Amino acid sequence: MKQTIILTLALLALLLSGCNGDQPAKGETAPASAAEPAKPAGEPAKPVAADKKTVPGSTETFVARSAARRSTLTGFTRARNAMTLVSEESGRVHKVVADVGDTLGEHGLFAELDTTFIELDLAGNRADQQRLKSDVAYNKKEMDRYQSLVRSKNAAQSTLDSNIRAHQSALQQLRGKQIEERVLMERMKRFSLLGPPGWKVVTRYIEPGEWITKGEKVAELGRYDVLLVPFALTSAEYRALGNQGDTVDLTLTDLDKHVSATIARVSPGFDPQTRKINVDLEITKGDFEFRGGLRTELVIDLPDPGGAVLVPKTALVKAYEEYFLMTPDRQRVRVVLLGAAENDMRRVTSPDVRPGDRFLLNP
């Protein structure tokens, strides 16, 4: 009985050891693990590749372009033209029709002088002309009468010659008085002090009742329908200004307005002290009061002397407090960030980056 129980336990142990073995029986397939899916029978196993670092992003590229160094110049508006109004005659000021800041009318009248004495001179001249006209008419009749008498041999030739001489003398005196009348009339016009129509009075020197002499200054006038802005430019700035075209953008800083200007004139020489070229810009249109003394700014972009370039903000890769650009073949190029630029661009510099080089836009 006891031997039968021991035999039974030995058989059970053998059966259990056959079901829980590590190796599957011949013709059986081991179950697939949860971490690795089962492969179809007969497919060769693929080799496992080593880990490889890749930089995510698109392959879109851009071309680095040269950065500009911005030069801001300041100037002030002034009259397009200016002049000093001077009296051409001496006399007492009768009236002044324009004050400082006023615009001269269509005739350009600024002031008038008293014309009493010039009118008396004209009256005397015209009286002399009337007398001489009478003498000329009388001498003409006498000359014609003596010509008849000389032809009939009833008068001497010398008497006729005297009459011809008297007639010619009276005629020359009449012509002289006529020229004198024209001079007086022209002087009469000068008693009205005139300037260019539409110009403004900048300074006024005279008052009604004041006596002024010939050649004395009476006013300073300026043309303010067009404004002039002078600038002193270096040779590089002058070349950059010419590259902007016919129209130049100016900023009126005091009014926070932008206007367009054109180059009015350029000095062929230069200032020996500053060694700069004098260039005048003119403003013809604008929604503001045209006057002198308005502060204007001219912005000129010059090539960067350090060789900096402009790149998009998205092209920069920051790592360990340094910045890099990525070439199309995924090579990093270290750059130095100089600052921001317009249109979300950045100014960078590097000995390995030049204008025209191509880099990834979104590395």
Side-chain angles (χ1 to χ4, degrees):
M1 180 69 179
K2 190 180 289 186
Q3 293 180 352
T4 304
I5 294 172
I6 293 173
L7 182 60
T8 303
L9 292 175
L11 292 174
L12 288 173
L14 289 173
L15 290 174
L16 290 173
S17 63
C19 293
N20 295 330
D22 292 334
Q23 296 296 328
K26 189 176 180 180
E28 293 180 344
T29 304
S33 65
E36 183 179 357
K39 297 183 176 61
E43 181 178 346
K46 293 183 178 179
V48 180
D51 291 340
K52 181 179 181 181
K53 286 187 177 181
T54 59
V55 181
S58 67
T59 58
E60 185 179 0
T61 61
F62 72 94
V63 176
R65 55 189 178 92
S66 177
R69 177 175 59 87
R70 178 153 293 182
S71 175
T72 302
L73 306 175
T74 302
F76 293 87
T77 59
R78 61 185 62 182
R80 178 62 176 83
N81 304 95
M83 65 174 292
T84 301
L85 189 60
V86 177
S87 175
E88 298 183 65
E89 295 290 338
S90 299
R92 182 175 60 85
V93 179
H94 176 59
K95 65 178 179 179
V96 180
V97 299
D99 203 350
V100 174
D102 293 342
T103 302
L104 301 183
E106 59 179 353
H107 300 294
L109 179 63
F110 169 70
E112 290 182 348
L113 304 181
D114 185 19
T115 58
T116 301
F117 292 103
I118 194 74
E119 290 176 353
L120 291 175
D121 290 341
L122 272 173
N125 175 274
R126 286 164 181 166
D128 291 340
Q129 287 191 54
Q130 291 296 327
R131 176 180 56 81
L132 289 172
K133 286 179 181 178
S134 177
D135 291 345
V136 168
Y138 173 77
N139 290 332
K140 179 70 169 57
K141 291 180 180 179
E142 284 292 301
M143 183 182 64
D144 293 341
R145 187 166 63 87
Y146 272 95
Q147 284 179 346
S148 299
L149 291 175
V150 168
R151 281 195 296 268
S152 62
K153 297 183 180 180
N154 292 322
Q157 181 66 37
S158 59
T159 305
L160 175 61
D161 292 341
S162 297
N163 285 327
I164 293 175
R165 181 180 179 184
H167 174 71
Q168 293 292 335
S169 177
L171 188 60
Q172 291 298 327
Q173 291 181 30
L174 176 61
R175 290 174 179 171
K177 288 296 180 181
Q178 290 173 343
I179 294 174
E180 183 181 345
E181 180 188 21
R182 292 174 58 188
V183 173
L184 292 172
M185 291 295 296
E186 194 64 32
R187 288 184 57 195
M188 176 76 80
K189 295 179 182 178
R190 290 338 191 238
F191 276 70
S192 296
L193 306 181
L194 306 177
W199 287 36
K200 291 187 176 182
V201 180
V202 180
T203 308
R204 167 180 163 178
Y205 297 120
I206 61 174
E207 296 293 336
E210 181 181 357
W211 178 268
I212 60 175
T213 58
K214 183 178 181 180
E216 184 176 347
K217 295 191 296 184
V218 297
E220 301 288 346
L221 305 178
R223 179 189 174 189
Y224 285 95
D225 60 332
V226 177
L227 296 179
L228 205 67
V229 187
F231 289 99
L233 308 179
T234 62
S235 297
E237 291 171 343
Y238 175 65
R239 289 192 298 270
L241 180 66
N243 294 333
Q244 293 186 15
D246 298 333
T247 303
V248 180
D249 292 330
L250 295 179
T251 302
L252 302 177
T253 55
D254 296 336
L255 304 178
D256 194 20
K257 292 181 178 292
H258 298 274
V259 296
S260 296
T262 56
I263 299 177
R265 56 196 177 203
V266 179
S267 174
F270 74 105
D271 190 328
Q273 296 181 347
T274 62
R275 297 182 180 181
K276 292 185 177 182
I277 302 170
N278 294 322
V279 178
D280 292 335
L281 305 181
E282 65 176 11
I283 304 172
T284 58
K285 297 179 182 179
D287 185 17
F288 63 96
E289 180 187 2
F290 276 42
R291 53 167 298 120
L294 297 178
R295 184 189 299 270
T296 63
E297 286 188 353
L298 171 63
V299 177
I300 300 177
D301 292 332
L302 302 174
D304 192 283
V309 297
L310 290 178
V311 300
K313 176 183 177 182
T314 58
L316 292 174
V317 178
K318 185 177 181 181
Y320 304 105
E321 301 300 327
E322 293 184 344
Y323 292 90
F324 300 88
L325 292 174
M326 194 74 69
T327 62
D329 57 354
R330 303 290 183 176
Q331 296 295 323
R332 286 184 175 184
V333 178
R334 183 178 175 273
V335 296
V336 177
L337 179 62
L338 300 178
E342 294 181 350
N343 300 324
D344 207 21
M345 302 289 283
R346 296 294 183 267
R347 297 175 65 248
V348 300
T349 183
S350 171
D352 300 325
V353 178
R354 293 177 177 79
D357 292 347
R358 187 173 295 275
F359 299 95
L360 293 178
L361 181 62
N362 296 290

